[in-house]
Amino acid sequence: AASDVYKRQVPIIGWVLLAMALVCSSFAGALTNLMTDTRFHPPPGDLLRGSWRAMATSLTLLAIQLHQNRGRSLLALTRLSRPQMVELVAAGVAMSVNLGAFQSALVRTSIAHAATFESMSSLWLVLGEVGAWLFLKGPPVSGRTIGAVLIGCFGATLCFNETPQEDGPGHPATPFGDALALSSGVGAGIFLISAENLRHALEPVTFLFAILMIYGTISGCAAFIFDPLPPTLSMDPCVGFLGWLTPSPDRLPLQLTGTLVVDVAGYLAYVAVMKYVPALMVSAAMLLGPFVSTLEGVIIGVEDVPGLWTVGGAVVITMGSAIIAVESQSKTNTYSLGDLN
């Protein structure tokens, strides 16, 4: 019905914020490859590295809130209803799947493959809608949207045809690494939906702080079970929980860069935008992520120039996701970014 269609109005500041989030968050791939470089220290376990990231960024976000309002924004967490609290925990678990799987994928496949498969979050969201339509009597999904999912899946199969480059600066693509990247896209999709649902209940800084606390707790506990070497309560640069504080080129400087650039200027900007626009619109803005991540990695020297199969597959996946974004235009509400600080 015509009454169900709303016009979305996004001023220039909104697009600037989305562009900043895209460029900064895409740096995560190159940064992870730099941190796992073995010239200075053996690489830490994947889960321990995740707890380092969560610890550094959550402390930064806590400092921001203490500076802005002496931590009063944290009180909003105590006013969440039980369903909202459940959704917040679910978002934290989804973020753990997203970041954990993506970081693990980056040391097992190329940046181009990892970023491309993670960007398929919008396709996973639609697959969830299709499942709800078929089995739970949810709202119907258009044939064009289903076709877009099939296009995205075809693009993924093209990427799998790429021949690994064994002698380049980046990690060669492997099926296991690609599978991890695909699973990270599932976590990203669930996280985006939860962030959209909680956008009016929590300030972006408070929301991301709570999410990273959950992610850090899960990563730290899982590191004792799954990492090759159990972590210790020390500043050891390889196995210490505070190893990221080691003042060497591959630890403290890189971790602070990741906190300020990737998480604060990148992911926090995405969360801030989701307070005003729907998750699928943000997911559509992430479509350029694989291209930006790969370009940054090539420039820094930690990624190979991708082959034609990977480039072609990424373009096809982007086309499928773009169709989904266009289709979602008629389902979303209007939110103004004019009052965005």
Side-chain angles (χ1 to χ4, degrees):
S3 59
D4 294 328
V5 180
Y6 302 88
K7 183 179 180 181
R8 181 184 294 109
Q9 298 176 346
V10 181
I12 294 178
I13 187 175
W15 298 117
V16 170
L17 197 60
L18 277 176
M20 181 184 73
L22 172 65
V23 173
C24 293
S25 64
S26 297
F27 191 60
L31 193 68
T32 297
N33 280 16
L34 287 172
M35 186 169 283
T36 55
D37 195 317
T38 58
R39 286 179 296 176
F40 299 99
H41 300 100
D46 297 337
L47 293 165
L48 177 61
R49 189 156 32 87
S51 71
W52 287 355
R53 176 179 182 176
M55 192 184 311
T57 303
S58 59
L59 287 173
T60 301
L61 297 176
L62 178 61
I64 291 174
Q65 293 175 94
L66 292 175
H67 174 72
Q68 286 182 339
N69 51 41
R70 298 184 181 180
R72 287 191 296 271
S73 56
L74 294 172
L75 295 177
L77 292 170
T78 64
R79 295 191 290 267
L80 293 178
S81 64
R82 180 171 295 182
Q84 287 175 325
M85 186 61 71
V86 171
E87 186 138 37
L88 180 66
V89 174
V93 174
M95 174 66 90
S96 300
V97 173
N98 172 227
L99 296 183
F102 184 65
Q103 289 199 123
S104 297
L106 284 169
V107 295
R108 294 170 176 86
T109 192
S110 65
I111 293 177
H113 275 214
T116 297
F117 291 132
E118 190 210 17
S119 73
M120 294 177 66
S121 57
S122 60
L123 303 181
W124 290 116
L125 290 177
V126 173
L127 283 176
E129 293 179 359
V130 172
W133 172 40
L134 294 176
F135 303 109
L136 301 176
K137 297 181 179 180
V141 180
S142 70
R144 184 179 297 180
T145 302
I146 295 176
V149 173
L150 296 177
I151 290 174
C153 292
F154 174 68
T157 61
L158 293 180
C159 292
F160 282 121
N161 290 319
E162 189 71 66
T163 301
Q165 302 181 39
E166 301 290 346
D167 56 350
H171 296 285
T174 65
F176 180 59
D178 291 346
L180 285 172
L182 279 170
S183 66
S184 74
V186 178
I190 298 173
F191 168 76
L192 288 171
I193 289 296
S194 299
E196 181 183 8
N197 293 338
L198 292 170
R199 62 190 170 191
H200 297 304
L202 294 171
E203 290 296 320
V205 177
T206 305
F207 173 76
L208 191 58
F209 168 76
I211 292 300
L212 287 172
M213 289 293 290
I214 297 171
Y215 168 50
T217 301
I218 293 175
S219 296
C221 294
F224 281 102
I225 303 173
F226 299 107
D227 273 353
L229 296 174
T232 61
L233 294 175
S234 68
M235 287 181 57
D236 185 278
C238 300
V239 295
F241 268 118
L242 300 177
W244 62 276
L245 292 171
T246 303
S248 65
D250 60 340
R251 290 298 182 263
L252 184 59
L254 289 182
Q255 194 63 67
L256 292 179
T257 301
T259 293
L260 298 177
V261 175
V262 178
D263 291 335
V264 175
Y267 286 104
L268 182 58
Y270 274 136
V271 174
V273 168
M274 278 188 285
K275 189 174 182 180
Y276 305 92
V277 299
L280 272 176
M281 189 173 182
V282 176
S283 185
M286 295 176 175
L287 297 180
L288 294 175
F291 303 100
V292 177
S293 293
T294 303
L295 179 61
E296 291 172 342
V298 171
I299 291 174
I300 294 175
V302 296
E303 173 67 346
D304 306 303
V305 176
L308 292 178
W309 285 111
T310 297
V311 173
V315 171
V316 172
I317 291 173
T318 300
M319 291 171 55
S321 299
I323 294 173
I324 292 173
V326 171
E327 285 291 294
S328 71
Q329 294 272 342
S330 61
K331 303 178 184 178
T332 55
N333 296 328
T334 297
Y335 299 97
S336 175
L337 290 176
D339 57 345
L340 186 60
N341 294 323

